[in-house]
Amino acid sequence: MSERAPDLTVDLAIIGGGINGCGIARDAVGRGYSVWLCEQGDLGGATSSSSTKLLHGGLRYLEHYEFRLVREALIEREVLWGIAPQIVRPLRFILPHRKGMRPAWMLRLGLFLYDHLGGRKLLPGTSRVNLAHGPYGEGLNADLRSGFEYSDCWVEDNRLTILNAQDAVERGADIRVRTRCTAAQPLPGGGWRVVARDLETGQEEVIHARMVINAGGPWANAVARDLLRRPPKGSVRQVQGSHIVVPRLYAHDRCFIFQNSDGRIVFTIPYEDRYTLIGTTDRDYPGDPASVSASDAEIAYLCALVGQYFKRSITPKDVVWSYSGVRPLYDDGSSEAQKATRDYVLELDQSQNAPVLSVFGGKITTFRRLAESALERIEATLGHAQGEPAGWTGRQPLPGGDFAPQDFDREVRKLLSDRAFLSGADAIRLVRFYGTRATVMLGDARSRADLGRDFGAGLSEREVDYMCRTEWARTAEDILFRRSKLGLRLSPAQIAALEDHLQKGVRPRMTA
């Protein structure tokens, strides 16, 4: 039987469509490489949509002397805010202090380093805060009378993955979702023959690639060992992080970072206007990453921990939503999950003239720098291509992000001026989702009726179709709990109606 001709010949075949895979795809195609990427589920559907949604240096990582990682992450906060101001915004965090915690001098020293390691330009620095008087002590226990306030940033994590994928496709990359890589063999003349199957249609595709990038996240070990037959030197340590969402604990816009006696920290973050996000946990997870969910024990742990700081007790009955993800940390031999490094490790195997670059670890804040490090190894292996210079991804905006970080409110006013039928809340949400492309999503609509059916919470038929057409969305979960969090506001009947619409309608596929 003759060998089937490849459907596509590319420089890079990327396995895994989380933030690392999509970030590498964007950087690589921009630098002139031809790129094909497959993701077995939804883009950013696993770890990359289950984070605490923070772009942060990692204040507690200073205790583990990870100064390079912290500095890199601190710099990246403002870089990412600059290229994606629609989905990134600054936050102020309050670190309360009480007797028995880390001494105040240690906290001041840590925050001084935090302010100065990363070349902060736009974010305000640290200050003392009085919790005994004023709004920020609202609801806190009486012994929490003072603390420190510092800056980090919030990001819509799944949308960050989607925007990187969109930009990669618009620059020429091929991206396949719900598509599993089923076989990979080195070619006699060098490179790889990769077979992928569309899990929705069953159709197979053959790709010849000069190099394979293993960005499988929690599945990276299995991809390297079982699919590519290249057992890695390093390995992934699966660490589960769970979060809960409860009705709003306080009215102000500050976040809290609480220190726990077991060495862990927990955040409380204002979330989707009406709620508070609480997280996260850190525990080793030996199971299938696709089956992870917040356990009863984790939910109870988070409720009890937060209850130590607020006058109002929190119980599992208060939880309106929970989510959980598996962090694919690099296994550095740490005895405790919360002490395992959040740094990334790239492992290059060039045997048989069929190079593989495997990605282990990392965090959402430093995904772009991880991609740059990956491109250094790609260029050293394949040679330079004709395209953008190194570092371009930190200068050119992601789709819809072509405005200055300080101009978010002005973009909202522009949208309201252009589409008078929108409410102020509608305009804020649409600019937060789509930035300057909100008008592209709205198309020629000049009234609410032009947007078609309203599924609830302002989610229109036109917006749903836009997400399917340009953001790879397929299911109600993709739309309501990953691309957005509007599922918190919809009733079960409204969610079922959206699912019915998606099953009956034609769902266009994203193409270049």
Side-chain angles (χ1 to χ4, degrees):
M1 186 175 179
S2 61
E3 171 73 5
R4 175 181 168 182
D7 298 314
L8 196 64
T9 299
V10 295
D11 295 317
L12 302 176
I14 301 175
I15 302 172
I19 187 59
N20 290 335
C22 291
I24 293 170
R26 181 194 184 217
D27 199 345
V29 74
R31 295 203 206 185
Y33 296 100
S34 53
V35 174
W36 175 91
L37 179 150
C38 72
E39 163 55 47
Q40 65 180 349
D42 181 28
L43 285 180
T47 305
S48 298
S49 59
S50 302
S51 75
T52 313
K53 327 300 181 192
L54 298 180
L55 297 177
H56 65 140
L59 185 60
R60 67 192 175 98
Y61 305 152
L62 291 174
E63 290 187 319
H64 304 303
Y65 308 109
E66 296 198 68
F67 297 112
R68 186 206 60 77
L69 173 63
V70 173
R71 182 176 186 276
E72 187 174 272
L74 289 171
I75 293 170
E76 284 299 289
R77 296 176 307 178
E78 293 196 10
V79 171
L80 296 178
W81 188 18
I83 65 171
Q86 73 275 45
I87 59 168
V88 177
R89 65 181 185 272
L91 292 177
R92 291 290 279 175
F93 286 79
I94 294 175
L95 174 59
H97 184 260
R98 63 157 58 126
K99 289 183 179 179
M101 293 179 172
R102 295 167 178 83
W105 69 263
M106 182 182 293
L107 298 180
R108 284 196 297 268
L109 176 59
L111 288 166
F112 177 84
L113 291 172
Y114 208 71
D115 275 349
H116 294 90
L117 271 178
R120 178 178 50 84
K121 297 177 181 178
L122 297 177
L123 295 171
T126 298
S127 61
R128 293 295 298 259
V129 61
N130 186 336
L131 299 176
H133 304 284
Y136 301 144
E138 174 194 341
L140 292 176
N141 287 335
D143 63 335
L144 296 173
R145 302 180 61 82
S146 66
F148 301 90
E149 188 177 49
Y150 68 94
S151 293
D152 268 321
C153 288
W154 173 268
V155 64
E156 299 293 339
D157 53 2
N158 182 263
R159 299 202 67 78
L160 182 64
T161 304
I162 295 300
L163 291 180
N164 274 271
Q166 281 182 331
D167 199 49
V169 166
E170 290 172 9
R171 293 174 184 273
D174 283 280
I175 290 182
R176 308 282 189 266
V177 300
R178 269 86 176 180
T179 298
R180 180 173 295 152
C181 185
T182 57
Q185 297 91 26
L187 290 166
W192 289 89
R193 178 184 185 271
V194 175
V195 181
R197 184 174 70 250
D198 187 313
L199 298 180
E200 294 179 322
T201 67
Q203 183 176 352
E204 285 198 338
E205 180 178 18
V206 176
I207 300 93
H208 284 184
R210 296 172 65 196
M211 184 174 185
V212 167
I213 310 298
N214 171 15
W219 292 272
N221 278 351
V223 170
R225 182 185 61 246
D226 303 331
L227 182 67
L228 303 173
R229 308 291 182 183
R230 299 286 181 83
K233 297 175 185 176
S235 64
V236 167
R237 180 174 184 171
Q238 294 188 171
V239 174
Q240 180 176 2
S242 296
H243 300 76
I244 59 175
V245 176
V246 301
R248 189 167 59 186
L249 293 176
Y250 45 84
H252 60 78
D253 64 354
R254 276 3 185 211
C255 311
F256 287 101
I257 174 173
F258 296 116
Q259 310 166 66
N260 198 30
S261 58
D262 63 5
R264 298 176 182 174
I265 55 97
V266 68
F267 296 103
T268 66
I269 303 170
Y271 190 65
E272 298 294 315
D273 298 328
R274 308 175 186 179
Y275 306 98
T276 298
L277 175 67
I278 300 170
T280 181
T281 59
D282 277 297
R283 68 173 189 173
D284 288 307
Y285 179 78
D288 180 358
S291 302
V292 68
S293 62
S295 69
D296 291 342
E298 287 180 300
I299 291 172
Y301 168 83
L302 290 172
C303 289
L305 197 155
V306 171
Q308 296 175 21
Y309 298 94
F310 286 91
K311 295 174 183 175
R312 169 186 158 193
S313 63
I314 307 297
T315 73
K317 291 182 179 179
D318 295 311
V319 175
V320 298
W321 184 48
S322 66
Y323 65 90
S324 189
V326 175
R327 303 185 193 97
L329 304 183
Y330 181 72
D331 192 354
D332 61 359
S334 294
S335 58
E336 298 175 75
Q338 65 265 31
K339 292 182 180 179
T341 182
R342 267 53 176 176
D343 210 346
Y344 51 84
V345 173
L346 305 178
E347 187 177 301
L348 180 63
D349 184 326
Q350 301 191 71
S351 58
Q352 298 177 267
N353 198 25
V356 175
L357 182 67
S358 289
V359 178
F360 299 103
K363 57 200 294 275
I364 195 167
T365 308
T366 53
F367 84 90
R368 197 191 63 82
R369 291 298 301 273
L370 182 154
E372 290 184 335
S373 296
L375 263 294
E376 289 178 9
R377 289 156 177 80
I378 291 166
E379 289 178 338
T381 304
L382 302 184
H384 288 264
Q386 297 299 313
E388 299 282 356
W392 74 272
T393 58
R395 297 187 292 271
Q396 296 193 24
L398 286 164
D402 48 337
F403 61 94
Q406 303 93 326
D407 289 345
F408 182 88
D409 291 341
R410 186 170 71 177
E411 290 300 315
V412 172
R413 292 193 296 271
K414 284 171 59 178
L415 184 60
L416 283 170
S417 175
D418 184 62
R419 309 298 168 106
F421 65 89
L422 295 174
S423 69
D426 289 336
I428 291 171
R429 182 181 74 79
L430 294 180
V431 174
R432 182 65 67 202
F433 280 18
Y434 308 109
T436 57
R437 294 196 177 186
T439 54
V440 176
M441 186 279 290
L442 292 168
D444 61 358
R446 293 295 163 183
S447 70
R448 289 192 178 276
D450 294 336
L451 299 178
R453 182 177 181 179
D454 188 331
F455 293 99
L459 179 67
S460 68
E461 185 175 352
R462 179 167 296 202
E463 186 174 2
V464 167
D465 292 346
Y466 182 85
M467 288 186 182
C468 292
R469 188 175 69 254
T470 71
E471 297 186 354
W472 294 273
R474 296 282 193 274
T475 69
E477 185 177 7
D478 296 346
I479 291 168
L480 298 178
F481 292 100
R482 284 195 280 272
R483 306 298 184 275
S484 77
K485 303 301 179 288
L486 295 175
L488 289 169
R489 302 186 182 188
L490 268 60
S491 69
Q494 289 172 317
I495 294 174
L498 176 58
E499 277 285 16
D500 185 62
H501 170 77
L502 293 170
Q503 290 172 5
K504 289 180 179 178
V506 176
R507 292 172 290 172
R509 293 173 179 267
M510 179 77 177
T511 56

